[in-house]
Amino acid sequence: MKAPFGLTIMRDVSIAKSEFVAGKKAITKIQNFQNVPELMEYCALPEVTKYAKAFIGPNIMAMHTMLINKPPDPGTKSSRHPMHQDLYYFPFRPAERIVCSWTAMEKVHRKNGCLVVLPGTHRGEMLEHGYPKWEGGVNKMYHGILDYSPDQPRVHLEMEAGDTVFFHPLLIHGSGMNRTDGFRKSISCHYASSDCQYIDTSGSIQDFISDEMTSLVNDRMKKRGIKDYKITFADIWRMKGRLVHGREGTLT
Ligand SMILES: O=C(O)CCC(=O)C(=O)O
């Protein structure tokens, strides 16, 4: 079966490049489910959108969608997600009009790699990100804060199935290793007000992620024979965004 347009299936770095082996616990996430109506129902749930609207106003777009399936760690510690700020991935502002909802689909706790957050960091600046130098490798696009110090006070978000946390895109967060035999499942949506504006991030600390994301698309097009295709960072997000409540605005 052909995957819906835009859907990205991500695999753990330790297995991503090897042959598919039945039973290997490889899939870490399904990203960009904007064209999968059954999953998009999550983004439109009134129980979720009422809080999203309280944070960012009545006109909301689902910009980034993820079904996260943290697999049992393959022994490389690569199931960890490095500490990062989501705003680093976005070429739209203001940050105050963006909020993430993250819903546990089962009990999440320290053993299966719950979210870890640094309280108060949403009041700070966007920091420099890059791939951490982890011995067992790092999953694609899992950029982390470069000079992150593990000594800062942090909170582990242990949650029951259905519990939802909403957080600001500058909040420093990540998640731990999954030391259990099961997958740790959650579903998440980044909402932005449709009145947000795309910004030009060139020359900023977002260059690294912007280049990585745009090259992925441009290289894929080149392989299909469309040589001069040049997507921009903003175009990528324009393609993902879907209005879920209220009216369209500058982000559409
Ligand atoms: O669910 C997780 O393990 C962390 C997900 C996350 O922070 C992200 O994908 O940006």
Side-chain angles (χ1 to χ4, degrees):
M1 202 180 85
K2 214 165 172 237
F5 182 72
L7 198 80
T8 313
I9 298 174
M10 320 252 311
R11 292 185 169 78
D12 188 87
V13 61
S14 62
I15 323 177
K17 291 197 179 79
S18 61
E19 292 282 306
F20 173 77
V21 180
K24 273 251 174 149
K25 295 175 174 171
I27 294 178
T28 55
K29 323 184 173 174
I30 291 175
Q31 293 211 116
N32 312 322
F33 55 67
Q34 66 273 13
N35 294 320
V36 184
E38 295 81 359
L39 292 175
M40 280 303 282
E41 276 179 29
Y42 166 75
C43 305
L45 280 177
E47 295 90 331
V48 178
T49 55
K50 79 172 174 193
Y51 294 103
K53 284 189 265 179
F55 285 113
I56 64 171
N59 305 309
I60 56 172
M61 294 192 62
M63 297 302 290
H64 185 216
T65 50
M66 292 187 287
L67 187 68
I68 308 163
N69 186 49
K70 190 192 276 285
D73 193 87
T76 51
K77 299 189 183 170
S78 52
S79 65
R80 290 175 293 171
H81 198 127
M83 300 303 275
H84 64 283
Q85 295 166 303
D86 292 335
L87 193 67
Y88 167 72
Y89 290 85
F90 304 146
F92 43 86
R93 302 288 188 275
E96 287 61 40
R97 291 299 182 99
I98 304 170
V99 68
C100 177
S101 70
W102 190 103
T103 301
M105 292 172 69
E106 61 189 315
K107 197 176 171 72
V108 298
H109 44 76
R110 288 186 73 161
K111 206 159 172 221
N112 64 5
C114 64
L115 284 179
V116 184
V117 303
L118 303 192
T121 48
H122 64 288
R123 298 195 190 93
E125 299 285 298
M126 190 197 296
L127 303 170
E128 205 164 337
H129 287 62
Y131 281 112
K133 293 183 177 56
W134 287 347
E135 238 176 73
V138 185
N139 287 331
K140 201 160 174 56
M141 307 269 176
Y142 280 29
H143 294 196
I145 291 168
L146 284 183
D147 63 354
Y148 171 69
S149 152
D151 304 330
Q152 300 170 73
R154 52 187 175 166
V155 174
H156 290 85
L157 302 185
E158 298 202 315
M159 296 161 69
E160 298 295 330
D163 282 355
T164 300
V165 58
F166 292 85
F167 57 92
H168 188 283
L170 279 170
L171 183 79
I172 299 177
H173 67 285
S175 64
M177 190 167 133
N178 182 358
R179 298 169 201 266
T180 69
D181 293 334
F183 290 86
R184 192 228 66 197
K185 289 185 168 53
S186 56
I187 188 163
S188 155
C189 178
H190 282 89
Y191 297 95
S193 161
S194 62
D195 293 327
C196 279
Q197 310 270 353
Y198 285 102
I199 56 157
D200 181 5
T201 59
S202 44
S204 76
I205 53 175
Q206 289 180 263
D207 273 354
F208 185 25
I209 190 65
S210 160
D211 289 349
E212 192 172 8
M213 286 175 74
T214 53
S215 304
L216 204 72
V217 178
N218 293 335
D219 292 350
R220 217 174 275 163
M221 289 307 204
K222 216 178 274 168
K223 277 192 198 139
R224 289 181 187 164
I226 310 168
K227 276 197 219 114
D228 299 324
Y229 192 82
K230 282 227 170 355
I231 199 161
T232 66
F233 196 21
D235 284 342
I236 288 180
W237 290 99
R238 273 191 197 100
M239 283 165 58
K240 295 178 198 246
R242 294 288 182 276
L243 187 71
V244 293
H245 196 270
R247 56 148 178 79
E248 299 199 329
T250 39
L251 208 53
T252 40

